[in-house]
Amino acid sequence: MTILLTGATGFLGMEFVARAVQADTADVVCVIRADDDAHAARRLHDTLTTLYGDDVPAAADDRLIAVAGNLEQPGLGLGPAAASLVADRVTRIVHGAASIRFDLPLDEARAVNVDGTAHVLGVARALHAAGRLRRYVHVSTAYVAGRHAGDVHESGSPVTGAPRNTYEQTKREAEVLVREAAAAGLPAVIARPSIVVGDSQTGWTPAFNVLYWPLRALSRGMLGATVPADPDGLVDVVPVDFVADAIAYLTVTDEPVSGTYHLTAGPAATQIGELMDMGCAAFGCDRPAVAPPIAAGDVDGSGHEAGVFIPYFDVLSHFDATRARALLEPAGITCPPLADYFDRIVGYAVAARWGKTGCTRAAAGVQPDAVSAI
């Protein structure tokens, strides 16, 4: 089995890579933005160092192939040798690369998230026409629902909530391309994670954004006496090990998977008020008052400097995950409630000084279960 992976140097991508190395049953062609294949190999090596330090398993050299590419170019900008490798060997694709910045101008976000998806789909269509492609997994986000209030189902129905930012808008536009390709016969599935945080067993993460910002601000008294949030708003949080396990399973399973799968907490999503209670208990501080959220554009320097995150403090979307649970739970892949591992992610964040220090994934003791195997 040979898998083409975009986004290998990102948080989710490196977790997928770690599972491939552990399982030692699939080769992974990692398309990495780089000047040439040697540069791509160096970037992959840096990723492996983040995972393993100086003790990189031998299987990484045997199973991982780094090639230079560019999502913004047709054919992913692959050189002749890499393009031939993909055409001859790849049977499955995981498209995980994206710009996750919330504040990019729309044209820049589209260049990566929409045009990039179109170019990956072009490679997928060529493999499918040659009779090789078994699965295309598109990593999206549950927040393509935008500001929709109420249930969001795992159906092909268009979502109508106004997007909060260019990230949500362009990820939604990319999904349209994937659904069109699936309707034309491409074996494609869409995975929609919600807010991804550290490993549920150790708290390990190399990325400290979204949920980590308000927690850090709370721990340092930076939020002030009043927090701009809806106390009934939902914070749908999932640990990275659950998401990576699920994406790996969607990639390799021989079950007839199709359509969209919500990799979310679903009915176990945490309310803002509950999150604040957990945070205050962890940091030994008083709970701030809650006031109606302010628009990101109204944020000043008074402690709410990460204005791009504030629109996520009043989410009223309920992400139904019935299809995903029916598929994943029999395989032993389940999403724990945030309360079960909250102290671990906070403990690691504090020990890592919210990203200023930290340790490798291996040193943190992360050990995927057998269900994670690719």
Side-chain angles (χ1 to χ4, degrees):
M1 184 188 303
T2 300
I3 302 166
L4 184 149
L5 172 66
T6 70
T9 60
F11 185 23
L12 271 178
M14 68 173 63
E15 286 289 332
F16 189 94
V17 164
R19 282 153 175 76
V21 169
Q22 182 203 26
D24 200 15
T25 56
D27 292 343
V28 182
V29 178
C30 302
V31 179
I32 298 173
R33 191 178 185 103
D35 298 331
D36 51 37
D37 288 350
H39 183 202
R42 290 195 298 274
R43 291 199 64 201
L44 180 60
H45 176 76
D46 291 342
T47 298
L48 293 171
T49 299
T50 300
L51 293 169
Y52 302 106
D54 295 329
D55 192 21
V56 177
D61 290 332
D62 296 337
R63 296 293 185 182
L64 304 179
I65 306 166
V67 298
N70 187 336
L71 289 181
E72 298 177 42
Q73 297 179 6
L76 303 182
L78 299 177
S84 178
L85 171 70
V86 169
D88 292 343
R89 293 182 54 185
V90 167
T91 57
R92 300 166 196 256
I93 295 176
V94 177
H95 178 34
S99 171
I100 59 174
R101 281 183 54 185
F102 295 163
D103 57 354
L104 273 184
L106 184 57
D107 59 341
E108 294 181 30
R110 278 182 173 147
V112 178
N113 295 343
V114 183
D115 296 345
T117 295
H119 295 148
V120 178
L121 285 171
V123 173
R125 287 189 180 97
L127 290 171
H128 188 236
R132 297 191 56 80
L133 189 69
R134 298 285 301 279
R135 184 74 38 74
Y136 170 92
V137 178
H138 180 81
V139 182
S140 185
T141 172
Y143 292 95
V144 294
R147 295 185 179 277
H148 175 84
D151 293 336
V152 180
H153 296 287
E154 301 162 293
S155 67
S157 301
V159 287
T160 57
R164 296 174 181 83
N165 47 53
T166 58
Y167 170 69
E168 290 184 357
Q169 179 170 341
T170 54
K171 292 296 281 185
R172 182 187 298 185
E173 292 172 2
E175 279 198 11
V176 172
L177 300 183
V178 178
R179 285 195 294 272
E180 290 174 349
L186 197 76
V189 298
I190 296 172
R192 287 180 178 170
S194 52
I195 298 172
V196 182
V197 295
D199 184 86
S200 65
Q201 298 301 311
T202 67
W204 182 83
T205 178
F208 296 83
N209 49 29
V210 191
L211 186 69
Y212 290 93
W213 176 81
L215 291 176
R216 178 176 65 89
L218 180 66
S219 73
R220 297 179 177 180
M222 295 165 53
L223 288 179
T226 304
V227 175
D230 184 334
D232 296 324
L234 295 175
V235 184
D236 195 303
V237 176
V238 287
V240 69
D241 45 314
F242 162 70
V243 178
D245 286 349
I247 290 172
Y249 188 79
L250 286 169
T251 303
V252 305
T253 182
D254 290 326
E255 292 192 48
V257 295
S258 63
T260 301
Y261 296 89
H262 279 168
L263 308 183
T264 63
T270 306
Q271 289 186 328
I272 284 284
E274 295 171 333
L275 177 63
M276 290 176 62
D277 287 341
M278 286 191 285
C280 291
F283 302 125
C285 60
D286 294 331
R287 175 173 162 172
V290 175
I294 56 178
D298 295 334
V299 175
D300 57 25
S302 63
H304 300 303
E305 71 274 15
V308 291
F309 300 137
I310 287 177
Y312 293 91
F313 296 171
D314 66 337
V315 175
L316 298 176
S317 300
H318 303 257
F319 301 118
D320 176 64
T322 301
R323 294 186 75 240
R325 290 199 303 271
L327 174 71
L328 298 172
E329 288 180 359
I333 302 172
T334 59
C335 180
L338 177 60
D340 285 2
Y341 61 94
F342 182 81
D343 287 345
R344 297 187 192 107
I345 64 171
V346 167
Y348 183 82
V350 170
R353 299 176 59 207
W354 305 94
K356 291 183 179 180
T357 58
C359 65
T360 67
R361 180 179 183 274
V366 178
Q367 295 292 336
D369 296 328
V371 297
S372 308
I374 295 176

